[in-house]
Amino acid sequence: LPAPVRSFLSLSQEERTIGPYRLKRQLGRGGFAPVWLAEEVYGDTTLRLAAVKLFSLDPRPRAGRPAAAQAIVDEARRLCQVEHPNIVRFYALTIDEARGLVGLAMEYIAGEALSDRLRDRGPLPVVDALELGAAVASALSAVHAAGLVHRDISPANILVAASPTLGGPGAYKLIDFGIAAALPQGSSPESRPNAAWARELLLGGDLPETLGGTALSALPEAIQLGPEEAADLAGPLTRVGGKLGYVDPVCWRELRPATMASDLYGLGALLFACLTGRIPAAGTGALRGEVLDGRARAPRLVELVPGAPAELDRLVDALLDPDPAKRPRSAELVAIELERLRGLSRARPIALPPEDEGPFRGLERFEQAHRDIFFGRRVEIAATLEALRSHGLVALVGPSGSGKSSLARAGVLPAIAEGALGGPRRWDTAV
């Protein structure tokens, strides 16, 4: 950790305060920015719990780049504009110039990291993976709309909320937006980390010591980098961001910064790992450097999960395409497709209407009771659910007789009642 952060964390609990936040215990560590559970305190009153991410403050601009403080403020400003049920909320940014620290306060989610759940319980069923994927893709759509790139889509950065007030089990929250990746790196020994530190930033802490028969200590040999790139591991690689197996191959190969297409690759790797228990580069057994850097495609999902739906297999394969230009155009389109597949995958008895009524409505509209004979609108249902999830309010507008009422009553409302929006599993509807 940077010296200002180390010095601050060595203080007693009563002294360990930044702004109104009193740090209690460490929750996690991302790169060189640890996250602590904190109480927001005013006087003798504790208002709420928060998660505070600590950064070291470097006030010196370099090479035309803004000082670290301004870079963090700029990104935090954009993050605070992202309101989405599957994204952790950001509360405040506190700068302590005397100590050389910046604290980013966020909502505290009681739950567990998806990486822990996968480690303890194994791969997810297809239905659960589709719910997770739709939630994360929807969150990424909001992130990208704000002009941001997450940079670090992986199981370690997705929380599964445990409290019913926060959505109940299965409510997913995207965390850790990699603000540290925007920090300028200096050339001094203290501010310019060594190659081992850079590899640790890329590998992350959510992988087992061995994966697919390849020890993590052997990874520099497993990943083919040119001599110039290998000699400069402490430079450009530290700005790539992400964790092993989830990083865009272009970022590995050409040391480019992450883009929105990189987030989509991370989403594909996330779905692959949730369904198979392996990152794509280790899908066939041993870890393959040629998959990490894009010289070879990842194995198909159906090779490891034979029962996976063909449409899901094609979508994951497209997300993992080594060429960013060939991946889906946007996270929103991916969210809609995953929600459509999720709607198709729900296993429950089909309710047919009485024989005297029959399955054909003619010119009559479809009601909630007719949901199982209302077909051909999966894309429209999924798009409406995605708009609701992102914006909260949706108006269905169109010519008379175009099917607005049927779409709402037989398509959207039943899906919401089944928990398609995440969060509470019981919703009241009014017609």
Side-chain angles (χ1 to χ4, degrees):
L1 295 176
V5 176
R6 288 200 312 270
S7 176
F8 175 71
L9 295 179
S10 67
L11 299 174
S12 68
Q13 182 170 300
E14 292 302 317
E15 298 175 296
R16 208 165 46 220
T17 61
I18 180 167
Y21 299 101
R22 180 184 300 148
L23 276 59
K24 306 286 287 184
R25 60 180 173 86
Q26 188 163 357
L27 294 173
R29 175 177 172 180
F32 45 83
V35 181
W36 279 63
L37 175 65
E39 294 175 334
E40 186 175 354
V41 179
Y42 289 90
D44 297 328
T45 303
T46 299
L47 295 186
R48 59 183 172 182
L49 294 176
V52 175
K53 189 170 185 177
L54 292 173
F55 301 94
S56 175
L57 180 61
D58 184 353
R60 297 166 295 173
R62 290 186 193 86
R65 298 184 62 183
Q70 188 57 48
I72 296 172
V73 169
D74 289 343
E75 187 142 356
R77 174 181 56 80
R78 294 191 294 269
L79 288 172
C80 291
Q81 296 172 349
V82 180
E83 286 288 338
H84 192 280
N86 297 113
I87 297 176
V88 66
R89 288 186 176 87
F90 290 82
Y91 290 156
L93 193 66
T94 302
I95 299 177
D96 189 332
E97 294 185 357
R99 290 193 173 113
L101 292 173
V102 178
L104 184 64
M106 303 164 280
E107 73 173 314
Y108 167 63
I109 304 296
E112 63 178 337
L114 178 62
S115 54
D116 294 337
R117 176 163 290 195
L118 294 175
R119 180 196 62 210
D120 297 339
R121 307 182 194 179
L124 299 179
V126 170
V127 174
D128 292 348
L130 288 170
E131 179 179 2
L132 162 70
V136 176
S138 179
L140 281 177
S141 177
V143 171
H144 294 170
L148 294 171
V149 177
H150 186 278
R151 302 186 181 94
D152 197 0
I153 301 298
S154 69
N157 285 333
I158 297 169
L159 291 181
V160 186
S163 169
T165 60
L166 292 175
Y172 301 103
K173 293 275 189 174
L174 184 60
I175 64 169
D176 199 347
F177 283 74
I179 292 180
L183 291 174
Q185 295 298 320
S187 57
S188 66
E190 181 175 344
S191 62
R192 185 177 177 83
N194 58 30
W197 187 94
R199 285 193 295 270
E200 172 64 22
L201 176 63
L202 281 164
L203 301 184
D206 62 328
L207 295 175
E209 180 60 29
T210 59
L211 181 68
T214 302
L216 295 186
S217 59
L219 282 174
E221 288 71 42
I223 303 166
Q224 290 190 8
L225 295 174
E228 293 182 1
E229 292 89 346
D232 197 26
L233 275 172
L237 263 180
T238 63
R239 295 196 297 271
V240 170
K243 293 182 175 63
L244 176 74
Y246 301 91
V247 178
D248 188 341
V250 173
C251 297
W252 272 116
R253 185 175 63 251
E254 301 179 16
L255 304 181
R256 294 186 192 174
T259 64
M260 294 178 185
S262 303
D263 282 348
L264 294 182
Y265 183 91
L267 175 59
L270 174 71
L271 288 168
F272 189 99
C274 286
L275 289 163
T276 69
R278 290 176 172 270
I279 58 175
T284 56
L287 188 66
R288 298 169 59 199
E290 64 268 29
V291 175
L292 290 176
D293 62 22
R295 288 175 290 122
R297 293 186 74 98
R300 296 295 290 257
L301 182 61
V302 290
E303 295 177 30
L304 285 80
V305 187
E311 291 174 296
L312 177 60
D313 171 66
R314 288 194 292 269
L315 177 61
V316 171
D317 187 59
L319 289 167
L320 293 176
D321 197 300
D323 183 355
K326 295 181 180 179
R327 296 171 199 158
R329 295 196 308 275
S330 71
E332 181 181 18
L333 292 177
V334 175
I336 291 172
E337 176 63 7
L338 287 168
E339 182 58 47
R340 185 184 72 85
L341 295 176
R342 180 171 173 256
L344 290 172
S345 68
R346 293 190 185 101
R348 58 174 185 76
I350 294 178
L352 295 177
E355 284 187 21
D356 57 351
E357 181 179 329
F360 303 107
R361 298 294 295 160
L363 297 179
E364 297 291 329
R365 65 169 170 248
F366 290 80
E367 304 288 354
Q368 294 190 53
H370 306 111
R371 59 162 307 173
D372 288 321
I373 58 171
F374 181 69
F375 62 92
R377 294 289 190 180
R378 280 290 174 193
V379 173
E380 288 86 351
I381 293 171
T384 305
L385 291 171
E386 168 58 15
L388 279 169
R389 189 183 291 113
S390 299
H391 303 291
L393 178 66
V394 170
L396 300 179
V397 181
S400 177
S402 60
K404 303 181 297 298
S405 298
S406 296
L407 174 63
R409 299 184 186 199
V412 177
L413 290 185
I416 291 174
E418 290 184 351
L421 295 181
R425 294 306 183 193
R426 180 176 178 180
W427 293 80
D428 292 329
T429 62
V431 176

